[in-house]
Amino acid sequence: MMENQNKDKALLEAVQSHPFFHGVEVGTALSLLKDCQFKQYDKNEILLYKDRQREGLILILEGFVEVYVENEVLEVVQKGEMLGFSSIADFLGFPRRTKDEVTVESRAASKVKVMYIPFQVMARRWEDPFVRDYLLTQVAVRLRDVYGSLAEQVQLAREFGENEVFMLRVQDMMTEKVITIDSHATVMEAAKKMHEHHTSSILVMEDGALKGIITERDIVGRVVAKGMLLTDSVSLIMTKNPITISRLAYYYDAIGSIFTNGIKHLPVVEDGEIVGIVTLSDLLRKKNENVMKTIKQIEEADEMGLPTVKRAVYSIVDTLLQENIPIDKTLDIITNLYDRLVVRIVHLAVENLKKRGMISQLNSPFIKWGAVVVVNNLC
């Protein structure tokens, strides 16, 4: 008995401040809650199916929910907001135009707790002018936001030369497993951790707050090249106050931020907490897998396959130009690919010299010079 009372009290505290329960006495609120259902969903579980009749509203108590059509996300509903406003038409008795009418689905974008509010509870609250005005206002706001979101994505897609509207959000592309290290740790500890987890970056934290980020390039350029000690603090080499992005931002927001700021890693922050990280590689992989395929092709190429790599790089140049990617960023991408190609050629040259027993007769700079000549001939 005591357990049920505590449960009712916890549920009441969770929803009593919501406008739907505005001005309701405790006894009445508990009576309404008994007719509602409380459910939990794991990430990617479906809350509302497109082919099932709506039977009420859903109040989000915790987490995020995506509303989508054929995997194109229309909006993200957060804690305190409601789902299923199209069911108000059913509640008011307006028939659907066709049985096969296209409708949306909803899925959990994280672990989610919700409360189902059936029509019978809606009927008891509909007579309250405050509640009725709140629900109708929410319908109008949601309609405005959906139209605004669609218009924004169409505009951004056109600016980037995209033929199809790309409505992916950062949370659809980010890596949720984030590797972190304390700000008092050493460079050696950071490097070991990055190696163990096969990651190209690590976030520097202090008292639970993000203070900086370290990448492989930082370790090479700020430690190796400048002769810093591996026992030095990571705070001396990290990029302080890194650019971050929201999990609800769109694909174009992320790639625009990366191109504008000249970075390759974007920590994803929500309510002050790190929830993931998205990289340039993630964005290119999602948008255009040709770059990643070419990188793999370069790293696996033998002497006979090097000319095909050149054609693959040309194809990427064509793709980036067609998509109106800024020319300086296009050059960065292509330069990176050619750098990888040089490294591969050097590796092949060294292996060839080892086989012929000539490696001791040549020094490293000469080998690199020969590799560059080969690259120039290929280009």
Side-chain angles (χ1 to χ4, degrees):
M1 181 70 175
M2 182 64 70
E3 183 178 349
N4 290 334
Q5 290 179 346
N6 291 335
K7 183 177 180 181
D8 289 342
K9 183 179 179 181
L11 293 175
L12 180 60
E13 290 176 350
V15 301
Q16 64 180 355
S17 61
H18 194 273
F20 189 84
F21 295 92
H22 171 77
V24 176
E25 296 180 352
V26 174
T28 303
L30 289 174
S31 175
L32 292 171
L33 291 177
K34 288 181 180 179
D35 292 327
C36 297
Q37 289 182 295
F38 292 84
K39 293 186 178 182
Q40 298 186 37
Y41 295 88
D42 291 326
K43 183 178 179 180
N44 293 327
E45 278 196 86
I46 305 298
L47 283 75
L48 293 175
Y49 289 87
K50 62 181 179 181
D51 55 354
R52 296 185 187 177
Q53 186 72 26
R54 308 291 195 254
E55 298 179 351
L57 297 174
I58 299 177
L59 173 61
I60 310 300
L61 301 177
E62 183 178 306
F64 300 85
V65 175
E66 293 178 330
V67 179
Y68 66 98
V69 177
E70 300 296 335
N71 284 324
E72 294 289 350
V73 179
L74 299 179
E75 61 174 336
V76 177
V77 184
Q78 307 180 53
K79 178 181 177 180
E81 297 180 338
M82 304 184 87
L83 282 172
F85 283 114
S86 61
S87 67
I88 292 181
D90 299 324
F91 169 71
L92 295 174
F94 288 91
R96 294 184 179 272
R97 289 173 295 181
T98 65
K99 292 183 178 180
D100 298 326
E101 180 180 344
V102 176
T103 186
V104 299
E105 290 187 308
S106 302
R107 65 185 168 212
S110 63
K111 285 190 175 181
V112 171
K113 294 181 180 179
V114 305
M115 180 177 74
Y116 279 83
I117 304 175
F119 286 156
Q120 64 191 75
V121 174
M122 288 178 60
R124 294 171 63 182
R125 298 296 294 136
W126 189 255
E127 297 304 318
D128 186 328
F130 180 89
V131 173
R132 188 167 59 248
D133 290 345
Y134 164 75
L135 292 176
L136 294 178
T137 299
Q138 289 302 302
V139 171
V141 170
R142 191 68 56 82
L143 183 62
R144 179 198 65 192
D145 290 347
V146 169
Y147 273 113
S149 175
L150 288 171
E152 178 185 5
Q153 293 314 298
V154 170
Q155 180 180 355
L156 286 170
R158 287 177 177 172
E159 289 176 1
F160 277 81
E162 182 61 53
N163 294 324
E164 298 177 1
V165 178
F166 222 62
M167 300 196 67
L168 287 171
R169 292 182 185 264
V170 168
Q171 65 183 16
D172 299 317
M173 298 170 287
M174 71 182 188
T175 299
E176 293 185 348
K177 184 179 179 181
V178 180
I179 308 304
T180 64
I181 196 165
D182 187 84
S183 60
H184 300 295
T186 65
V187 173
M188 174 66 80
E189 291 172 324
K192 284 184 176 179
K193 205 167 187 180
M194 291 169 67
H195 176 71
E196 290 170 359
H197 292 276
H198 305 287
T199 181
S200 60
S201 66
I202 189 167
L203 301 184
V204 182
M205 310 295 291
E206 185 175 306
D207 297 328
L210 176 64
K211 291 298 181 180
I213 184 172
I214 297 174
T215 67
E216 291 176 339
R217 179 174 292 184
D218 294 332
I219 292 179
V220 173
R222 300 176 184 177
V223 180
V224 179
K226 295 185 178 180
M228 291 185 65
L229 300 176
L230 295 179
T231 54
D232 285 337
S233 170
V234 293
S235 60
L236 297 177
I237 69 165
M238 69 182 185
T239 298
K240 298 180 180 179
N241 304 316
I243 305 295
T244 63
I245 196 165
S246 167
R247 67 188 300 163
L248 303 183
Y250 286 103
Y251 167 87
Y252 288 109
D253 296 323
I255 200 166
S257 180
I258 282 179
F259 285 164
T260 301
N261 295 289
I263 56 179
K264 295 184 179 180
H265 302 78
L266 271 178
V268 184
V269 177
E270 199 65 44
D271 295 329
E273 295 185 6
I274 304 295
V275 296
I277 189 166
V278 65
T279 68
L280 177 59
S281 295
D282 295 329
L283 299 173
L284 290 175
R285 185 183 302 113
K286 201 73 178 182
K287 174 66 181 68
N288 189 339
E289 295 184 351
N290 286 342
V291 174
M292 304 310 297
K293 289 179 180 178
T294 302
I295 289 175
K296 184 178 180 181
Q297 188 177 353
I298 290 172
E299 294 177 346
E300 296 178 354
D302 56 19
E303 293 180 30
M304 299 297 294
L306 290 176
T308 64
V309 173
K310 179 184 72 171
R311 290 192 290 272
V313 173
Y314 286 173
S315 175
I316 290 174
V317 173
D318 182 61
T319 299
L320 294 173
L321 292 176
Q322 286 185 19
E323 293 179 357
N324 292 326
I325 300 300
I327 191 64
D328 59 330
K329 302 308 175 184
T330 298
L331 290 173
D332 284 344
I333 293 172
I334 301 306
T335 299
N336 181 270
L337 289 175
Y338 275 123
D339 286 346
R340 287 176 178 267
L341 181 58
V342 169
V343 171
R344 182 58 182 166
I345 292 173
V346 170
H347 176 78
L348 290 173
V350 170
E351 290 300 313
N352 184 270
L353 291 172
K354 283 182 178 179
K355 290 178 182 179
R356 296 167 59 184
M358 300 175 61
I359 190 67
S360 60
Q361 300 177 26
L362 297 174
N363 57 34
S364 179
F366 186 80
I367 294 175
K368 291 181 180 179
W369 173 82
V372 172
V373 171
V374 175
V375 173
N376 288 335
N377 288 336
L378 283 171
C379 298

